[in-house]
């Protein structure tokens, strides 16, 4: 009997070994461990054994069953693993095929530049002021120390609608309006972005419509050195930490003293290249101390208050920053142009 | 303003400063020097030669054989092609071995068999622009005065060894429209002194009043008019140095009298005019406004019709000059002129500007009057001109000056403290430094306890207030020495307004939804101005447009977005999705500013989504656009407050257009372009939308409040409703939501069917309804109850039946 069991175990283990799929393995299980299997049969024959032999034989039967069971489980695991691998292999895909595209648009490059500048100045405590594009002659010129007949009006040939109403030629009227709203009380600290219009023929460097950003700070004790510090801060954040700025004296009717502001070339670092035309400097801003007439007209006491103002052109900055060669690109909205500004 | 470096040395010592260095200093101090032109374009070895003999070239009609003394040994033979070469002339000779502009080397040569040892040069060959060459030498060689020393450096005599600084003057610095003005500026920068010309005027004992009288009928336009008579002048060339200086300054020499007036204009900034006294036609000058329709033929031989806006100089009867702009042909100085009346006047800038504008005639004179001249130099300039005419035109200056002077001139005095200067600039400049700067500017001043009282010279009319002085101090102190500080005082955080913040979110949302931001022009043409407008108003037209295409302000953003789409399509970019945020302009009556309203508009055309290898391709349709807008409304918390209503709008497809209503008020539209318009813009199937952005962004919305996350299961029931085909889904949905009450949480449409399996004129819309109670698990019966009410409601309201 013992021999019979050992033989059965031997046989079963061999068949388990040979089974090459889960069904064959199950057949082996049923054949050897099933109710009608040979081991059950052996158990049935145990009645004929002596009471001393019975427990020994019982233990032996259990050992054999367990051995077969273990072999079955081990084989089952192996076969299952193989099956999974086979299935996975059949499911392989070509990972180099294109993914499902996410369609995205992006900011217009001018908006990109404008928002960056806005955020820089918001970080320095400015708020953003906006105003009408169709403006009164008063706010566009007169309140900015450009009375009728002033020679500097020639410098900005304008689109008039009536004698008193025109398309604003700069965003400065927003400054005049904001100051007026403050009713002679500081501080005023604003950035004014927006569209402006001039009677220019559109070509590679001129556009009858373009954008401007101006800034204005009016308070007691505002000094021209504050203007320099503020613009240096701006230049460094906008164009790189090692940028420097320089002031060149200039003339604007609404500021006095007036300066043009150059930023050291961000392309060559100041050694001279074709971007800065060999000078190492790039003219970026116009600025100055707010003219006392402008302060007074807006209701500020120019003995008590001083202020500075500055202005720049996002088109020019974008053209320099991205190497754009024609201002008309900004207004043609060619998708092949717009989509070049998709990156952060 | 062109400034000859050599000429400038007449007035200020430039020792130790090159032209380039000077240019940098001037620029740094406030006047931009645009360029420094080196007048010598690479010339070497050009000297004055004396033509001793000239004969016809034996083998060539157009060539001359000349024997020229060039101051080196024997005279040399030179073959010359200029028609005007003649015996006895002093000419510029490029010697053998000389170099002319363009690296043109002069070699010994044989021309038609005759030896030529050099070349006699025209001014053009020496690099002078043709427009500056005196007319008589325009087609030939330049003839030097007979006293030009043989062998001398011709470049030096012609000022071709000079450098010319081109100043770009801002309108406030009209004082630098003269050599003397520039000299003051340079002297201030360098801390040197100014040498003014000395005038040696010898008058005869006649009286100018016997020759001419002056009356000014328009004193506001002409507060100062002065004149002198110079008789017995002999018209001829002006001295070489004067011609050379004029050419360096960009002015073509004519004759001694005209050149002297131009020379004084450049030297003093005072425009002069020389009349031929004998051609004036009377013995009086009357300055007055022109009569409407009066005419004058100006020196450029153009007849000009005048109006009462123009100021004229007359002989008492007819105009002889357009004041401050140009003289009349009738009284022009010609070669036979013997008596000259020199006018030196101060004309108001406004009246000159008007004439310039109306006649499109800008001259060196008018530019100076327009910008404002220094009246203190008017009479000095007149004296200097008369003296020069005596000296260089052989004239005799008649005694006295005719003059009408109503000019009210007061000294401008500015008082400023040192503290004020330092407080505005943020500097620590000393009293002594300020005094030094004022001294260099040659301003007279007194200083007491840090308070400066400064008398401003009349040449600096731009300086009237404290800030002007601060600017003078700052620019001459040097902005490089200005410290960099940040404003002191309370610092408040900056922040976008809620509107500005939301607008940025809208941009980002639309871009992440697949649209590119466009910026188009605000000006359009009459036809496009009102197309697609949500609200229309009288078109706002420019008074003086540059073109019809950009003449009217837009009332909708859509037309230019369509142009952008069309522009792209013409360049093979077929799939276009653009949005724009910008203003439209609605008139408010002629004297009022228009209403500027911010709009959001978009255009979408072509393929919306394609994933080709997976066989997916979806063209833009109405629902693509609507989906994007629904997302936008959700972004703004308005998803339950916006409804779409079928609408008819001009230029849009009548069956595929909807108005969008916020809280029942129309705020925009969405639709497919009408095929006619589509064709007009050369587009394929295209969808557009426009929204009143302000209405969207200013709508009050509740703050976000957390609601409990569902803890109990919900129950979903689907129904397919068969209705008449004209019933719209939105109405059904509203009825369902109303009937579903509290328990109905979600309604979604998952199928729409129209076709064979339904009766003609019917369609089926399938809804999925989700019921939920936050407090407990719903029973089937409760749901069935509500659901039946929903079904009953749609049966009653729309005659809907359940699809079997
Ligand atoms: Zn560079």
């Amino acid at each position: 009997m013992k021999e019979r069991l050992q033989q059965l175990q031997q046989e079963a283990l061999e068949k388990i070994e040979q089974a090459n799929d889960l069904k064959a393995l199950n057949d082996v299980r049923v054949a050897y461990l099933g109710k009608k299997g040979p081991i059950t049969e052996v158990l049935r024959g145990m009645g004929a054994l002596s009471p001393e032999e019975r427990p020994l034989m019982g233990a032996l039967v259990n050992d054999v069953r367990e051995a077969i069971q273990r072999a079955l489980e081990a084989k089952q695991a192996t076969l299952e693993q193989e099956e999974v691998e086979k299935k996975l292999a059949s499911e392989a895909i070509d990972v180099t095929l294109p993914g499902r595209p996410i369609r995205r648009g992006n900011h217009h490059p001018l908006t990109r530049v404008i928002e960056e500048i806005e955020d820089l100045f918001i970080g320095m405590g400015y708020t953003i002021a906006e105003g009408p594009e169709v403006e009164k002659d008063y706010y566009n010129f007169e309140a900015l120390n450009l009375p009728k007949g002033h020679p500097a009006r020639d410098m900005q040939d304008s689109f008039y609608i009536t004698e008193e109403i025109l398309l604003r030629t700069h965003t400065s009227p927003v400054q005049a309006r904001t100051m007026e709203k403050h009713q002679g009380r500081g501080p005023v600290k604003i950035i004014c972005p927006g569209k402006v219009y001039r009677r220019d023929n559109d070509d590679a460097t001129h556009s009858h419509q373009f954008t401007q950003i101006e800034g204005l700070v009016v308070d007691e004790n505002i000094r021209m050195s504050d203007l320099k510090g503020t613009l240096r801060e701006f230049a460094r954040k906008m164009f790189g930490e090692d940028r420097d700025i320089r002031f060149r004296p200039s003339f604007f009717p609404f500021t006095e003293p007036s300066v043009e502001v150059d930023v050291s070339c961000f392309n060559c670092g100041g050694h001279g290249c074709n971007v800065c035309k060999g000078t190492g400097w790039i003219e970026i801003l116009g600025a100055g101390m707010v003219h006392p007439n402008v302060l007074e007209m807006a209701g500020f006491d120019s003995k008590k208050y001083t202020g500075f103002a500055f202005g720049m052109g996002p088109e020019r900055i974008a053209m320099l920053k991205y190497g754009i060669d024609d201002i008309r690109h900004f207004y043609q909205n060619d998708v092949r142009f717009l989509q070049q500004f998709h990156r952060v | 303003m062109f400034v000859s470096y050599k000429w400038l040395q007449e007035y200020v010592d430039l020792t130790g400063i090159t032209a380039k260095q000077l240019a940098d200093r001037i620029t740094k101090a406030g006047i931009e020097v645009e360029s420094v032109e080196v007048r010598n374009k690479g010339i070497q070895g050009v000297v004055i030669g004396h033509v001793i003999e000239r004969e016809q070239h034996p083998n060539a009609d157009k060539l001359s054989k000349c024997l020229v003394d060039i101051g080196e040994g024997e005279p040399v033979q030179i073959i010359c092609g200029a028609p005007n070469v003649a015996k006895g002339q002093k000419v510029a000779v490029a010697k053998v071995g000389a170099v002319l502009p363009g690296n043109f080397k002069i070699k010994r040569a044989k021309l038609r068999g005759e030896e030529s040892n050099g070349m006699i040069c025209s001014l053009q060959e020496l690099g002078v622009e043709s427009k500056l060459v005196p007319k008589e030498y325009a087609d030939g060689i330049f003839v030097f005065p007979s006293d030009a020393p043989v062998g001398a450096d011709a470049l030096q005599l012609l000022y071709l060894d000079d450098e010319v600084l081109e100043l770009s003057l801002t309108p406030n610095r009209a004082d630098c429209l003269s050599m003397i003005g520039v000299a003051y500026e340079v002297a201030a920068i360098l801390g040197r002194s100014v040498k003014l010309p000395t005038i040696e005027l010898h008058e005869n004992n006649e009286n100018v009043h016997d020759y001419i009288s002056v009356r000014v009928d328009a004193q506001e336009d002409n507060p100062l008019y002065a004149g002198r008579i110079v008789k017995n002048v002999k018209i001829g060339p002006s001295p070489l140095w004067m011609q050379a200086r004029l050419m360096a300054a960009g002015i073509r020499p004519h004759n001694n009298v005209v050149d002297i007036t131009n020379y004084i204009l450049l030297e003093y900034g005072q425009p002069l005019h020389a009349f031929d006294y004998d051609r004036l036609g009377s013995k009086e000058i009357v300055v007055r406004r022109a009569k409407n329709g009066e005419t004058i033929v100006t020196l450029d031989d153009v007849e000009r019709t005048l109006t009462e806006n123009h100021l004229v100089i007359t002989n008492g009867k007819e105009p002889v000059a357009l004041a401050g702009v140009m003289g009349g042909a009738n009284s022009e100085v010609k070669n036979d002129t013997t008596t000259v009346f020199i006018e030196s006047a101060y004309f108001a800038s406004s009246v000159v500007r008007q004439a310039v504008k109306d006649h499109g005639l800008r001259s060196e004179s008018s530019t100076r009057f327009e910008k404002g001249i220094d009246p203190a130099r008017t009479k000095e300039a007149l004296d200097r001109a008369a003296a020069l005419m005596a000296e260089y035109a052989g004239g005799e200056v008649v005694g006295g000056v005719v003059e009408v002077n109503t000019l009210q001139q007061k000294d401008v005095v500015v008082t400023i403290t040192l503290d004020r200067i330092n407080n505005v600039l943020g500097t620590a400049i000393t009293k002594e430094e300020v005094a030094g700067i004022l001294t260099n500017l040659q301003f007279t001043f007194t200083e007491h306890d840090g308070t400066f009282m400064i008398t401003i010279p009349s040449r600096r009319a731009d300086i009237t207030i404290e800030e002007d002085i601060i600017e003078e101090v700052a620019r001459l102190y040097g902005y490089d020495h200005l410290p960099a500080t940040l404003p002191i005082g309370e610092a408040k955080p900056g922040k976008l307004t809620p509107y500005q913040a939301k607008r940025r979110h809208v941009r980002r949302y639309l871009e992440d939804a697949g649209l590119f931001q466009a910026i188009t022009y605000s000006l359009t043409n009459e036809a496009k101005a009102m197309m697609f407008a949500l609200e229309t108003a009288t078109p706002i037209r420019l008074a003086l447009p540059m073109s019809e295409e950009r003449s009217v302000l837009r009332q909708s953003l859509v037309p230019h977005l369509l142009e952008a789409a069309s522009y792209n399509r013409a360049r093979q970019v077929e799939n276009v999705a653009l949005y724009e945020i910008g203003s439209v302009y609605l008139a408010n009556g002629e004297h009022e500013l228009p209403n500027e309203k911010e709009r959001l508009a978009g255009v979408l055309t072509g393929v919306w989504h394609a994933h080709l290898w997976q066989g997916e391709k979806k063209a833009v349709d109405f629902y693509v656009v609507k989906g994007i807008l629904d997302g936008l409304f959700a972004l703004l918390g308005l998803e339950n407050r916006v409804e779409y209503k079928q609408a008819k709008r001009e230029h849009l497809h009548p069956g595929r257009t909807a108005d969008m209503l916020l809280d029942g008020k129309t705020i925009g539209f969405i639709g497919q372009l009408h095929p006619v318009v589509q064709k007009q813009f050369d587009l394929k199937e295209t969808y557009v939308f426009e929204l009143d952005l302000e209405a969207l962004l200013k709508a009050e919305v509740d703050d976000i409040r957390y609601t409990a996350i569902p803890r109990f299961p919900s129950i979903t029931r689907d129904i397919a409703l068969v209705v008449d085909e004209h019933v719209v889904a939105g109405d059904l949905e509203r009825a369902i939501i109303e009937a579903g009450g509290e328990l109905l949480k979600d309604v979604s449409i998952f199928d729409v069917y129209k076709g064979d399996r339904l009766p003609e004129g019917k369609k089926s819309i399938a809804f999925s309804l989700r019921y939920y109670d936050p407090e407990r698990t719903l029973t089937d019966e409760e749901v069935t109850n509500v659901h039946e009410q929903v079904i009953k409601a749609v049966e009653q309201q729309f005659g809907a039946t359940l699809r079997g």
Side-chain angles (χ1 to χ4, degrees), chain A residues 100 105 115 133 197 226 256, chain B residues 468 485 507 511 522 585 616:
Chain A
R100 182 177 300 274
E115 283 195 0
E133 292 167 28
Y197 306 85
D226 298 334
E256 171 119 50
Chain B
D468 298 321
T485 57
R507 284 201 203 112
E511 287 157 13
S522 307
Y585 313 83
E616 292 170 21

Side-chain angles (χ1 to χ4, degrees), chain A residues 100 103 105 107-108 111 115 118-119 133-134 149 160 197 209 224-226 228 256 258 333 335, chain B residues 353 424 468 471 479 482 485 500 503-504 507-508 511 517 519 522 543 568 585 596 608 614 616:
Chain A
R100 182 177 300 274
R103 185 167 174 151
H107 276 10
H108 189 284
T111 304
E115 283 195 0
E118 285 176 351
D119 290 344
E133 292 167 28
V134 183
Y160 274 90
Y197 306 85
Q209 174 180 326
M224 199 167 188
S225 56
D226 298 334
K228 197 173 183 184
E256 171 119 50
S258 302
N333 300 296
V335 172
Chain B
R353 184 173 309 131
V424 170
D468 298 321
E471 178 160 61
Y479 284 109
L482 199 67
T485 57
Q500 290 163 346
R503 186 172 52 195
R504 283 197 180 185
R507 284 201 203 112
R508 273 176 188 68
E511 287 157 13
Q517 186 194 9
I519 300 179
S522 307
N568 277 289
Y585 313 83
E596 280 180 40
W608 178 245
Q614 291 207 330
E616 292 170 21

Side-chain angles (χ1 to χ4, degrees), chain A residues 264-282:
Chain A
S264 60
C265 181
F266 43 78
N267 188 51
C268 65
H271 305 295
C273 68
N274 60 346
V275 173
C276 57
K277 299 194 181 97
T279 64
W281 295 93
I282 299 177

